Amino acid sequence: MQYRAGEEEQQAQSKKALKKQQKEAEKAAKKAEKQAKLAAEQQEADEDDFAKDRYGICPMVQSQQKLDRALVRVQDLTPEKAEQQIWVRARIHTSRAKGKQCFLVLRHQQFTVQALLAVGDRASKQMVKFAANLTKESIIDVEAVVKKVEQKIESCSQQDVELHVERIFVISQSEARLPLQLEDAVRPEGEGDEEGRATVNQDTRLDNRVIDLRTTTSQAIFRLQSGVCQLFRDTLINKGFVEIQTPKIISAASEGGANVFTVSYFKTSAYLAQSPQLYKQMCICADFDKVFCVGPVFRAEDSNTHRHLTEFVGLDIEMAFNYHYHEVIDSITDTMVQIFKGLRDRFQTEIQMVNKQYPSEPFKFLEPTLRLEYKEAVAMLKAAGVEMGDEEDLSTPNEKLLGRLVKDKYDTDFYVLDKYPLAVRPFYTMPDPNNPKYSNSYDMFMRGEEILSGAQRVHDAQLLTERAMHHGIDLEKIKAYIDSFRYGAPPHAGGGIGLERVTMLYLGLHNVRQTSMFPRDPKRLTP
Amino acid sequence: MPMYKVKPVSPADIKIDVPSCMYKSPNVHGHGMNCGEHALQNGEVDPSLKALEERQDEVLRRLYELKATVDGFAKTVTTPDADLDASTPSPGPAESVFKGTADLDSLLGKDLGALRDIVINANPARPPLSLLVLHALLCQRYQVLSSVHVHSSVSAVPPPLLSCLGPRHIDSYARQRFQLGFTLIWKDVSELQMKFSTQSMCPIEGEANVARFLFRLLGAEPQDPAAATQMDCWIDKAVFQLSEGGSKDRAAVLRSLNAALGRSPWLLGQEFSLADIVCACFVLRAGQTTSAPVNVQRWLKSCQNLGHFDCVYPFLQ
């Protein structure tokens, strides 16, 4: 009995063992197969890679040698270069392998071109595989023949040509996992929601600003912003203005004590300038007549809105006038109109590119600029149903409504509002000579949002002292400022704009962080 | 003893016959001049000379006045219904032809302390001539703040279009002092457009319609409905046939104008009206006024004599 049971057990065991053996045998067979396959492939690879020296990863460019090689820019790849063999350095925007072919889209700044790598007598399978596996955003050098295409390549900026790649080398490889995808970053918001595709939210963009700035939209925005700054300078220099640089570390808060950053200054503390106001005026008293300055402005305002930054670039103007401060308003509005004209005439490509992702109405303006008086604005608002006092300041929603009413009637996105009530302006604003309740001050608006606040300044030390006392300001703190008017000061007026805000409003964007390269706000200090 | 003796060429004592129509002036070089008369050299005038000059000035002035009066009468005779002040010597713009009154508050809405600004968007390729004439008439009646702007949709505009509303008013910095604003914007629009109160009024399109609106502000609309209809009829003829029609239509309108003007000095009879303004502007713009029928030419000359059309001539080729 025992033996039979044992036999049965043995039989069972042996069955199990058999099964086990079978399995192992299968495994071994599979492994052997795989190895054989690999070996075969390796052999194949070693055997057939005739294109081994036409691709690869270059050693890091440490200026080892001076290559006499001209690199053609992607934007210059046009049908005129057809059949030419050229070298291009660009980033890999996308790569897509399809059997024996690999399609690459190469990008340099705003320009993209399609490149094709196909297995043939110039490229081997391994080469195509190598190209297909390159990570996006890697910088590569490509030698290729430019070929004309019959059907336009709609998805690229260079629509009439494509590159047939002969050699491909990696100059700088990118990590495989990108924190954000550029295609997502350029996708318009609506499209993203509709098709269920991703768009990138603002915080992610700002955290990875280096990659976000590579998008065509960002490139266009900041090139346009550079144009704004340049047009500002050129127009004013042509009008006889002098550019000045004012100090940013100052001893006393200029606009008011509340919104100022303090820095430690050796044994005491100092402040970061809220505006170049004081120094602009001092330059006028020093006989420079017409000055402007471009520089950072620091406002410690704890406002988390779409249009406030703690640090921004201020473009400020100050000008002495002969008899009426309207001479200055005319000068400032003419400068703004020249900037708008310059952008309209020379930066259409950039404007269109931004509009692809952020569609908006083109910016409209009148020449000469429309100037309305505060009383007119109040009447217009009252006619539209708003309840407000005659001397009340305009709230932001009222400003926006007024912008729409002006747009309706005059079809302009830019206008000046003159003669604000005295009570809502700073202490150095000159009161209106005919009506003490009003002042010689003005605001300028773009698309219904304020971009410039300016006024005729009080240039008489005594009146200035009175006004300061009326506003309850400590005279000791502004003694140096008042002193500058005691030795003959010409009548003058001026104003300042924020570069980022003007760019944002010109393009019809909705957040000033889109037009500030590395924005600063109460919650963001890096990058 | 003299060496040579020359026979005298002329006898020393020739009697010269002085003509009696010339007047004698005192001999400046003769003796008998005392120091008192030397003082005259310093620019002081001899009183008798002064009196003479004054009489001459008086005569000349009366001559000019007479000439102006005759000119004025000549114009009056050829131009019916012209209210020319015949004694003004300079041919400036005529006084207001229209004597009616208009209540701006009822027409334009209550004055809320803001400038009542009429905004007109016009295409610089087709300047609205009749509106320029109406602007001149409005300026005579009210204090109008006129301004011209160029919209960003247009890249450049010829200088005459920028100054078509006349020189900028001295007080233009104080918008509140004006009763009415007239803002002309040169813009890339297909149809002329007027906006006033965007909250309560829709925009008015078409030069003729805007002209009707502005004419109402002058308070000179014909009260008689028949006359008003006739006026509208003439304006429509000008717009649809003169301006938009072919050459046959134009010829037909000129013929009917000629016929009407044969019967009366102005299109509506004895009174100058909007029909005359609009039709004249459209005829002038169509050109070829020298080949127009006789009555039409006479009528155009009358319009010109009124002085309101002076602003239009710079825009006719």
Side-chain angles (χ1 to χ4, degrees), chain A residues 326 344 365 367-368 371 373 375-376 405 408-411, chain B residues 114 117 119 148-152 173 175-176 187 195-196 199:
Chain A
H326 279 188
R344 174 193 71 186
F365 54 94
E367 185 185 9
R371 187 177 67 234
E373 287 188 3
K375 288 192 183 149
E376 278 180 82
L405 294 172
D408 258 344
K409 187 164 179 183
Y410 298 91
D411 200 22
Chain B
D117 201 3
V119 176
V148 181
H149 297 269
V150 177
H151 193 263
S152 55
Y173 61 85
R175 288 167 71 90
Q176 291 178 276
K187 189 174 166 185
K195 289 191 182 176
F196 178 64
Q199 298 286 300

PDB file of all heavy atoms in Angstrom, chain A residues 326 344 365 367-368 371 373 375-376 405 408-411, chain B residues 114 117 119 148-152 173 175-176 187 195-196 199:
ATOM      1  N   HIS A 326      -1.081 121.886 -22.068  1.00  0.00           N
ATOM      2  CA  HIS A 326      -1.527 121.080 -23.206  1.00  0.00           C
ATOM      3  C   HIS A 326      -0.404 120.861 -24.212  1.00  0.00           C
ATOM      4  O   HIS A 326      -0.445 119.924 -25.004  1.00  0.00           O
ATOM      5  CB  HIS A 326      -2.730 121.731 -23.887  1.00  0.00           C
ATOM      6  CG  HIS A 326      -4.012 121.433 -23.180  1.00  0.00           C
ATOM      7  ND1 HIS A 326      -5.243 121.761 -23.679  1.00  0.00           N
ATOM      8  CD2 HIS A 326      -4.252 120.837 -22.002  1.00  0.00           C
ATOM      9  CE1 HIS A 326      -6.183 121.376 -22.836  1.00  0.00           C
ATOM     10  NE2 HIS A 326      -5.611 120.812 -21.801  1.00  0.00           N
ATOM     11  N   ARG A 344       2.121  99.174 -35.818  1.00  0.00           N
ATOM     12  CA  ARG A 344       1.181  98.773 -36.858  1.00  0.00           C
ATOM     13  C   ARG A 344       1.902  98.513 -38.176  1.00  0.00           C
ATOM     14  O   ARG A 344       1.581  97.595 -38.918  1.00  0.00           O
ATOM     15  CB  ARG A 344       0.129  99.875 -37.035  1.00  0.00           C
ATOM     16  CG  ARG A 344      -0.829  99.658 -38.189  1.00  0.00           C
ATOM     17  CD  ARG A 344      -1.624 100.915 -38.506  1.00  0.00           C
ATOM     18  NE  ARG A 344      -0.779 101.938 -39.119  1.00  0.00           N
ATOM     19  CZ  ARG A 344      -1.175 103.166 -39.392  1.00  0.00           C
ATOM     20  NH1 ARG A 344      -2.402 103.534 -39.112  1.00  0.00           N
ATOM     21  NH2 ARG A 344      -0.364 104.033 -39.935  1.00  0.00           N
ATOM     22  N   PHE A 365      -6.703 103.812 -33.106  1.00  0.00           N
ATOM     23  CA  PHE A 365      -6.410 105.089 -32.478  1.00  0.00           C
ATOM     24  C   PHE A 365      -6.692 106.210 -33.474  1.00  0.00           C
ATOM     25  O   PHE A 365      -6.861 105.982 -34.673  1.00  0.00           O
ATOM     26  CB  PHE A 365      -4.947 105.146 -32.015  1.00  0.00           C
ATOM     27  CG  PHE A 365      -3.958 104.832 -33.106  1.00  0.00           C
ATOM     28  CD1 PHE A 365      -3.397 105.849 -33.854  1.00  0.00           C
ATOM     29  CD2 PHE A 365      -3.587 103.530 -33.376  1.00  0.00           C
ATOM     30  CE1 PHE A 365      -2.484 105.569 -34.857  1.00  0.00           C
ATOM     31  CE2 PHE A 365      -2.685 103.232 -34.381  1.00  0.00           C
ATOM     32  CZ  PHE A 365      -2.125 104.259 -35.115  1.00  0.00           C
ATOM     33  N   GLU A 367      -5.548 110.224 -34.847  1.00  0.00           N
ATOM     34  CA  GLU A 367      -4.464 111.186 -34.841  1.00  0.00           C
ATOM     35  C   GLU A 367      -4.993 112.512 -35.311  1.00  0.00           C
ATOM     36  O   GLU A 367      -5.504 112.594 -36.442  1.00  0.00           O
ATOM     37  CB  GLU A 367      -3.345 110.728 -35.774  1.00  0.00           C
ATOM     38  CG  GLU A 367      -2.159 111.650 -35.708  1.00  0.00           C
ATOM     39  CD  GLU A 367      -1.074 111.317 -36.704  1.00  0.00           C
ATOM     40  OE1 GLU A 367      -1.312 110.465 -37.561  1.00  0.00           O
ATOM     41  OE2 GLU A 367      -0.016 111.931 -36.610  1.00  0.00           O
ATOM     42  N   PRO A 368      -4.961 113.605 -34.579  1.00  0.00           N
ATOM     43  CA  PRO A 368      -4.439 113.728 -33.229  1.00  0.00           C
ATOM     44  C   PRO A 368      -5.317 112.998 -32.220  1.00  0.00           C
ATOM     45  O   PRO A 368      -6.476 112.729 -32.466  1.00  0.00           O
ATOM     46  CB  PRO A 368      -4.465 115.233 -32.972  1.00  0.00           C
ATOM     47  CG  PRO A 368      -5.455 115.786 -33.911  1.00  0.00           C
ATOM     48  CD  PRO A 368      -5.483 114.881 -35.101  1.00  0.00           C
ATOM     49  N   ARG A 371      -9.164 113.984 -26.977  1.00  0.00           N
ATOM     50  CA  ARG A 371      -9.027 114.450 -25.611  1.00  0.00           C
ATOM     51  C   ARG A 371     -10.398 114.851 -25.097  1.00  0.00           C
ATOM     52  O   ARG A 371     -11.037 115.730 -25.645  1.00  0.00           O
ATOM     53  CB  ARG A 371      -8.072 115.648 -25.539  1.00  0.00           C
ATOM     54  CG  ARG A 371      -7.789 116.044 -24.106  1.00  0.00           C
ATOM     55  CD  ARG A 371      -6.793 117.167 -23.990  1.00  0.00           C
ATOM     56  NE  ARG A 371      -7.336 118.382 -24.511  1.00  0.00           N
ATOM     57  CZ  ARG A 371      -6.746 119.122 -25.443  1.00  0.00           C
ATOM     58  NH1 ARG A 371      -5.593 118.766 -25.932  1.00  0.00           N
ATOM     59  NH2 ARG A 371      -7.301 120.225 -25.870  1.00  0.00           N
ATOM     60  N   GLU A 373     -12.851 115.863 -21.592  1.00  0.00           N
ATOM     61  CA  GLU A 373     -12.675 116.402 -20.248  1.00  0.00           C
ATOM     62  C   GLU A 373     -13.404 115.534 -19.239  1.00  0.00           C
ATOM     63  O   GLU A 373     -14.365 114.852 -19.574  1.00  0.00           O
ATOM     64  CB  GLU A 373     -13.209 117.841 -20.189  1.00  0.00           C
ATOM     65  CG  GLU A 373     -12.276 118.783 -20.908  1.00  0.00           C
ATOM     66  CD  GLU A 373     -12.644 120.236 -20.710  1.00  0.00           C
ATOM     67  OE1 GLU A 373     -13.590 120.526 -19.958  1.00  0.00           O
ATOM     68  OE2 GLU A 373     -11.972 121.067 -21.327  1.00  0.00           O
ATOM     69  N   LYS A 375     -15.462 116.196 -16.975  1.00  0.00           N
ATOM     70  CA  LYS A 375     -16.911 116.457 -16.856  1.00  0.00           C
ATOM     71  C   LYS A 375     -17.680 115.733 -17.954  1.00  0.00           C
ATOM     72  O   LYS A 375     -18.777 115.227 -17.732  1.00  0.00           O
ATOM     73  CB  LYS A 375     -17.179 117.956 -16.971  1.00  0.00           C
ATOM     74  CG  LYS A 375     -16.750 118.727 -15.769  1.00  0.00           C
ATOM     75  CD  LYS A 375     -17.295 120.150 -15.779  1.00  0.00           C
ATOM     76  CE  LYS A 375     -16.770 120.904 -14.568  1.00  0.00           C
ATOM     77  NZ  LYS A 375     -16.618 122.325 -14.830  1.00  0.00           N
ATOM     78  N   GLU A 376     -17.085 115.704 -19.153  1.00  0.00           N
ATOM     79  CA  GLU A 376     -17.745 114.991 -20.254  1.00  0.00           C
ATOM     80  C   GLU A 376     -17.862 113.518 -19.918  1.00  0.00           C
ATOM     81  O   GLU A 376     -18.878 112.880 -20.190  1.00  0.00           O
ATOM     82  CB  GLU A 376     -16.915 115.100 -21.529  1.00  0.00           C
ATOM     83  CG  GLU A 376     -17.102 116.357 -22.307  1.00  0.00           C
ATOM     84  CD  GLU A 376     -16.246 116.361 -23.546  1.00  0.00           C
ATOM     85  OE1 GLU A 376     -16.667 115.766 -24.530  1.00  0.00           O
ATOM     86  OE2 GLU A 376     -15.163 116.946 -23.497  1.00  0.00           O
ATOM     87  N   LEU A 405     -17.713 103.097 -23.988  1.00  0.00           N
ATOM     88  CA  LEU A 405     -18.548 104.161 -24.546  1.00  0.00           C
ATOM     89  C   LEU A 405     -17.750 104.993 -25.547  1.00  0.00           C
ATOM     90  O   LEU A 405     -18.252 105.355 -26.621  1.00  0.00           O
ATOM     91  CB  LEU A 405     -19.060 105.078 -23.422  1.00  0.00           C
ATOM     92  CG  LEU A 405     -20.021 104.450 -22.433  1.00  0.00           C
ATOM     93  CD1 LEU A 405     -20.295 105.401 -21.276  1.00  0.00           C
ATOM     94  CD2 LEU A 405     -21.319 104.079 -23.110  1.00  0.00           C
ATOM     95  N   ASP A 408     -17.356 103.025 -28.696  1.00  0.00           N
ATOM     96  CA  ASP A 408     -18.606 103.036 -29.460  1.00  0.00           C
ATOM     97  C   ASP A 408     -18.748 104.286 -30.291  1.00  0.00           C
ATOM     98  O   ASP A 408     -19.115 104.243 -31.456  1.00  0.00           O
ATOM     99  CB  ASP A 408     -19.790 103.028 -28.476  1.00  0.00           C
ATOM    100  CG  ASP A 408     -20.400 101.656 -28.375  1.00  0.00           C
ATOM    101  OD1 ASP A 408     -20.129 100.834 -29.259  1.00  0.00           O
ATOM    102  OD2 ASP A 408     -21.147 101.437 -27.417  1.00  0.00           O
ATOM    103  N   LYS A 409     -18.455 105.433 -29.648  1.00  0.00           N
ATOM    104  CA  LYS A 409     -18.720 106.688 -30.333  1.00  0.00           C
ATOM    105  C   LYS A 409     -17.599 107.094 -31.274  1.00  0.00           C
ATOM    106  O   LYS A 409     -17.843 107.550 -32.383  1.00  0.00           O
ATOM    107  CB  LYS A 409     -18.941 107.783 -29.285  1.00  0.00           C
ATOM    108  CG  LYS A 409     -19.398 109.080 -29.907  1.00  0.00           C
ATOM    109  CD  LYS A 409     -19.989 110.010 -28.864  1.00  0.00           C
ATOM    110  CE  LYS A 409     -20.403 111.310 -29.511  1.00  0.00           C
ATOM    111  NZ  LYS A 409     -20.913 112.295 -28.576  1.00  0.00           N
ATOM    112  N   TYR A 410     -16.360 106.952 -30.831  1.00  0.00           N
ATOM    113  CA  TYR A 410     -15.252 107.475 -31.628  1.00  0.00           C
ATOM    114  C   TYR A 410     -14.417 106.391 -32.289  1.00  0.00           C
ATOM    115  O   TYR A 410     -13.538 106.689 -33.085  1.00  0.00           O
ATOM    116  CB  TYR A 410     -14.332 108.332 -30.747  1.00  0.00           C
ATOM    117  CG  TYR A 410     -14.997 109.547 -30.160  1.00  0.00           C
ATOM    118  CD1 TYR A 410     -15.607 109.498 -28.926  1.00  0.00           C
ATOM    119  CD2 TYR A 410     -15.015 110.749 -30.848  1.00  0.00           C
ATOM    120  CE1 TYR A 410     -16.214 110.616 -28.380  1.00  0.00           C
ATOM    121  CE2 TYR A 410     -15.608 111.878 -30.297  1.00  0.00           C
ATOM    122  CZ  TYR A 410     -16.207 111.800 -29.065  1.00  0.00           C
ATOM    123  OH  TYR A 410     -16.799 112.914 -28.525  1.00  0.00           O
ATOM    124  N   ASP A 411     -14.668 105.133 -31.925  1.00  0.00           N
ATOM    125  CA  ASP A 411     -13.915 103.993 -32.476  1.00  0.00           C
ATOM    126  C   ASP A 411     -12.410 104.141 -32.255  1.00  0.00           C
ATOM    127  O   ASP A 411     -11.592 103.957 -33.157  1.00  0.00           O
ATOM    128  CB  ASP A 411     -14.186 103.834 -33.989  1.00  0.00           C
ATOM    129  CG  ASP A 411     -13.831 102.437 -34.462  1.00  0.00           C
ATOM    130  OD1 ASP A 411     -13.787 101.514 -33.623  1.00  0.00           O
ATOM    131  OD2 ASP A 411     -13.556 102.268 -35.659  1.00  0.00           O
TER     132      ASP A 411
ATOM    133  N   ALA B 114     -21.642 118.414 -20.510  1.00  0.00           N
ATOM    134  CA  ALA B 114     -20.561 117.919 -21.364  1.00  0.00           C
ATOM    135  C   ALA B 114     -20.757 118.468 -22.759  1.00  0.00           C
ATOM    136  O   ALA B 114     -21.863 118.777 -23.164  1.00  0.00           O
ATOM    137  CB  ALA B 114     -20.598 116.402 -21.400  1.00  0.00           C
ATOM    138  N   ASP B 117     -21.040 116.419 -28.708  1.00  0.00           N
ATOM    139  CA  ASP B 117     -20.105 116.203 -29.807  1.00  0.00           C
ATOM    140  C   ASP B 117     -20.715 115.338 -30.895  1.00  0.00           C
ATOM    141  O   ASP B 117     -21.121 114.206 -30.657  1.00  0.00           O
ATOM    142  CB  ASP B 117     -18.837 115.533 -29.251  1.00  0.00           C
ATOM    143  CG  ASP B 117     -17.655 115.719 -30.167  1.00  0.00           C
ATOM    144  OD1 ASP B 117     -17.792 116.399 -31.191  1.00  0.00           O
ATOM    145  OD2 ASP B 117     -16.585 115.160 -29.861  1.00  0.00           O
ATOM    146  N   VAL B 119     -20.070 113.210 -34.079  1.00  0.00           N
ATOM    147  CA  VAL B 119     -18.914 112.532 -34.662  1.00  0.00           C
ATOM    148  C   VAL B 119     -19.284 112.049 -36.056  1.00  0.00           C
ATOM    149  O   VAL B 119     -20.289 111.369 -36.225  1.00  0.00           O
ATOM    150  CB  VAL B 119     -18.514 111.325 -33.790  1.00  0.00           C
ATOM    151  CG1 VAL B 119     -17.380 110.555 -34.425  1.00  0.00           C
ATOM    152  CG2 VAL B 119     -18.127 111.791 -32.414  1.00  0.00           C
ATOM    153  N   VAL B 148     -10.536 117.669 -36.522  1.00  0.00           N
ATOM    154  CA  VAL B 148     -10.359 116.658 -37.557  1.00  0.00           C
ATOM    155  C   VAL B 148      -9.360 115.637 -37.050  1.00  0.00           C
ATOM    156  O   VAL B 148      -8.314 115.992 -36.529  1.00  0.00           O
ATOM    157  CB  VAL B 148      -9.811 117.289 -38.860  1.00  0.00           C
ATOM    158  CG1 VAL B 148      -9.651 116.223 -39.928  1.00  0.00           C
ATOM    159  CG2 VAL B 148     -10.728 118.388 -39.336  1.00  0.00           C
ATOM    160  N   HIS B 149      -9.702 114.359 -37.168  1.00  0.00           N
ATOM    161  CA  HIS B 149      -8.771 113.303 -36.768  1.00  0.00           C
ATOM    162  C   HIS B 149      -8.587 112.337 -37.928  1.00  0.00           C
ATOM    163  O   HIS B 149      -9.434 112.223 -38.792  1.00  0.00           O
ATOM    164  CB  HIS B 149      -9.328 112.501 -35.581  1.00  0.00           C
ATOM    165  CG  HIS B 149      -9.520 113.284 -34.339  1.00  0.00           C
ATOM    166  ND1 HIS B 149      -8.555 113.417 -33.368  1.00  0.00           N
ATOM    167  CD2 HIS B 149     -10.589 113.981 -33.897  1.00  0.00           C
ATOM    168  CE1 HIS B 149      -9.028 114.141 -32.391  1.00  0.00           C
ATOM    169  NE2 HIS B 149     -10.252 114.510 -32.669  1.00  0.00           N
ATOM    170  N   VAL B 150      -7.476 111.612 -37.903  1.00  0.00           N
ATOM    171  CA  VAL B 150      -7.253 110.540 -38.868  1.00  0.00           C
ATOM    172  C   VAL B 150      -7.276 109.227 -38.107  1.00  0.00           C
ATOM    173  O   VAL B 150      -6.550 109.062 -37.134  1.00  0.00           O
ATOM    174  CB  VAL B 150      -5.893 110.711 -39.580  1.00  0.00           C
ATOM    175  CG1 VAL B 150      -5.632 109.548 -40.523  1.00  0.00           C
ATOM    176  CG2 VAL B 150      -5.854 112.019 -40.330  1.00  0.00           C
ATOM    177  N   HIS B 151      -8.115 108.301 -38.538  1.00  0.00           N
ATOM    178  CA  HIS B 151      -8.226 107.012 -37.850  1.00  0.00           C
ATOM    179  C   HIS B 151      -7.071 106.111 -38.246  1.00  0.00           C
ATOM    180  O   HIS B 151      -6.499 106.255 -39.330  1.00  0.00           O
ATOM    181  CB  HIS B 151      -9.564 106.377 -38.241  1.00  0.00           C
ATOM    182  CG  HIS B 151      -9.945 105.217 -37.401  1.00  0.00           C
ATOM    183  ND1 HIS B 151      -9.705 103.917 -37.783  1.00  0.00           N
ATOM    184  CD2 HIS B 151     -10.520 105.143 -36.185  1.00  0.00           C
ATOM    185  CE1 HIS B 151     -10.146 103.105 -36.845  1.00  0.00           C
ATOM    186  NE2 HIS B 151     -10.643 103.827 -35.862  1.00  0.00           N
ATOM    187  N   SER B 152      -6.752 105.157 -37.363  1.00  0.00           N
ATOM    188  CA  SER B 152      -5.615 104.282 -37.655  1.00  0.00           C
ATOM    189  C   SER B 152      -5.860 103.351 -38.838  1.00  0.00           C
ATOM    190  O   SER B 152      -4.929 102.742 -39.350  1.00  0.00           O
ATOM    191  CB  SER B 152      -5.280 103.440 -36.432  1.00  0.00           C
ATOM    192  OG  SER B 152      -6.415 102.732 -36.002  1.00  0.00           O
ATOM    193  N   TYR B 173      -8.790 124.471 -26.200  1.00  0.00           N
ATOM    194  CA  TYR B 173      -8.368 123.682 -25.048  1.00  0.00           C
ATOM    195  C   TYR B 173      -9.453 123.628 -23.984  1.00  0.00           C
ATOM    196  O   TYR B 173      -9.375 122.851 -23.051  1.00  0.00           O
ATOM    197  CB  TYR B 173      -7.069 124.239 -24.472  1.00  0.00           C
ATOM    198  CG  TYR B 173      -7.200 125.661 -23.981  1.00  0.00           C
ATOM    199  CD1 TYR B 173      -7.656 125.931 -22.702  1.00  0.00           C
ATOM    200  CD2 TYR B 173      -6.889 126.732 -24.803  1.00  0.00           C
ATOM    201  CE1 TYR B 173      -7.797 127.219 -22.263  1.00  0.00           C
ATOM    202  CE2 TYR B 173      -7.036 128.022 -24.370  1.00  0.00           C
ATOM    203  CZ  TYR B 173      -7.490 128.271 -23.091  1.00  0.00           C
ATOM    204  OH  TYR B 173      -7.626 129.539 -22.663  1.00  0.00           O
ATOM    205  N   ARG B 175     -12.975 122.748 -23.764  1.00  0.00           N
ATOM    206  CA  ARG B 175     -14.083 122.167 -24.512  1.00  0.00           C
ATOM    207  C   ARG B 175     -15.442 122.621 -24.000  1.00  0.00           C
ATOM    208  O   ARG B 175     -16.402 122.693 -24.758  1.00  0.00           O
ATOM    209  CB  ARG B 175     -14.000 120.638 -24.459  1.00  0.00           C
ATOM    210  CG  ARG B 175     -12.891 120.070 -25.294  1.00  0.00           C
ATOM    211  CD  ARG B 175     -12.666 118.633 -24.962  1.00  0.00           C
ATOM    212  NE  ARG B 175     -13.737 117.786 -25.429  1.00  0.00           N
ATOM    213  CZ  ARG B 175     -13.779 117.202 -26.620  1.00  0.00           C
ATOM    214  NH1 ARG B 175     -12.815 117.417 -27.481  1.00  0.00           N
ATOM    215  NH2 ARG B 175     -14.792 116.424 -26.952  1.00  0.00           N
ATOM    216  N   GLN B 176     -15.496 122.953 -22.738  1.00  0.00           N
ATOM    217  CA  GLN B 176     -16.816 123.254 -22.195  1.00  0.00           C
ATOM    218  C   GLN B 176     -17.409 124.555 -22.688  1.00  0.00           C
ATOM    219  O   GLN B 176     -18.592 124.788 -22.499  1.00  0.00           O
ATOM    220  CB  GLN B 176     -16.724 123.358 -20.689  1.00  0.00           C
ATOM    221  CG  GLN B 176     -16.450 122.068 -20.021  1.00  0.00           C
ATOM    222  CD  GLN B 176     -16.338 122.339 -18.559  1.00  0.00           C
ATOM    223  OE1 GLN B 176     -15.291 122.715 -18.064  1.00  0.00           O
ATOM    224  NE2 GLN B 176     -17.448 122.244 -17.893  1.00  0.00           N
ATOM    225  N   LYS B 187     -11.697 107.936 -42.004  1.00  0.00           N
ATOM    226  CA  LYS B 187     -11.607 106.532 -41.626  1.00  0.00           C
ATOM    227  C   LYS B 187     -11.917 105.680 -42.839  1.00  0.00           C
ATOM    228  O   LYS B 187     -12.588 106.139 -43.771  1.00  0.00           O
ATOM    229  CB  LYS B 187     -12.670 106.298 -40.540  1.00  0.00           C
ATOM    230  CG  LYS B 187     -12.636 104.985 -39.847  1.00  0.00           C
ATOM    231  CD  LYS B 187     -13.674 105.030 -38.730  1.00  0.00           C
ATOM    232  CE  LYS B 187     -13.953 103.660 -38.199  1.00  0.00           C
ATOM    233  NZ  LYS B 187     -15.011 103.674 -37.225  1.00  0.00           N
ATOM    234  N   LYS B 195     -22.295 109.622 -35.625  1.00  0.00           N
ATOM    235  CA  LYS B 195     -22.710 109.112 -34.317  1.00  0.00           C
ATOM    236  C   LYS B 195     -22.850 110.289 -33.390  1.00  0.00           C
ATOM    237  O   LYS B 195     -22.022 111.204 -33.391  1.00  0.00           O
ATOM    238  CB  LYS B 195     -21.623 108.168 -33.774  1.00  0.00           C
ATOM    239  CG  LYS B 195     -21.563 106.884 -34.527  1.00  0.00           C
ATOM    240  CD  LYS B 195     -20.682 105.896 -33.801  1.00  0.00           C
ATOM    241  CE  LYS B 195     -20.584 104.603 -34.578  1.00  0.00           C
ATOM    242  NZ  LYS B 195     -19.683 103.671 -33.969  1.00  0.00           N
ATOM    243  N   PHE B 196     -23.909 110.265 -32.576  1.00  0.00           N
ATOM    244  CA  PHE B 196     -24.007 111.325 -31.600  1.00  0.00           C
ATOM    245  C   PHE B 196     -24.119 110.776 -30.192  1.00  0.00           C
ATOM    246  O   PHE B 196     -23.190 110.835 -29.411  1.00  0.00           O
ATOM    247  CB  PHE B 196     -25.165 112.273 -31.943  1.00  0.00           C
ATOM    248  CG  PHE B 196     -25.310 113.347 -30.925  1.00  0.00           C
ATOM    249  CD1 PHE B 196     -24.294 114.270 -30.737  1.00  0.00           C
ATOM    250  CD2 PHE B 196     -26.424 113.421 -30.113  1.00  0.00           C
ATOM    251  CE1 PHE B 196     -24.384 115.239 -29.762  1.00  0.00           C
ATOM    252  CE2 PHE B 196     -26.512 114.399 -29.133  1.00  0.00           C
ATOM    253  CZ  PHE B 196     -25.501 115.312 -28.964  1.00  0.00           C
ATOM    254  N   GLN B 199     -25.875 105.836 -26.754  1.00  0.00           N
ATOM    255  CA  GLN B 199     -26.788 105.117 -25.889  1.00  0.00           C
ATOM    256  C   GLN B 199     -28.217 105.216 -26.381  1.00  0.00           C
ATOM    257  O   GLN B 199     -29.013 104.300 -26.205  1.00  0.00           O
ATOM    258  CB  GLN B 199     -26.725 105.700 -24.461  1.00  0.00           C
ATOM    259  CG  GLN B 199     -25.363 105.575 -23.834  1.00  0.00           C
ATOM    260  CD  GLN B 199     -25.090 104.158 -23.416  1.00  0.00           C
ATOM    261  OE1 GLN B 199     -25.792 103.587 -22.621  1.00  0.00           O
ATOM    262  NE2 GLN B 199     -24.067 103.562 -23.978  1.00  0.00           N
TER     263      GLN B 199
END
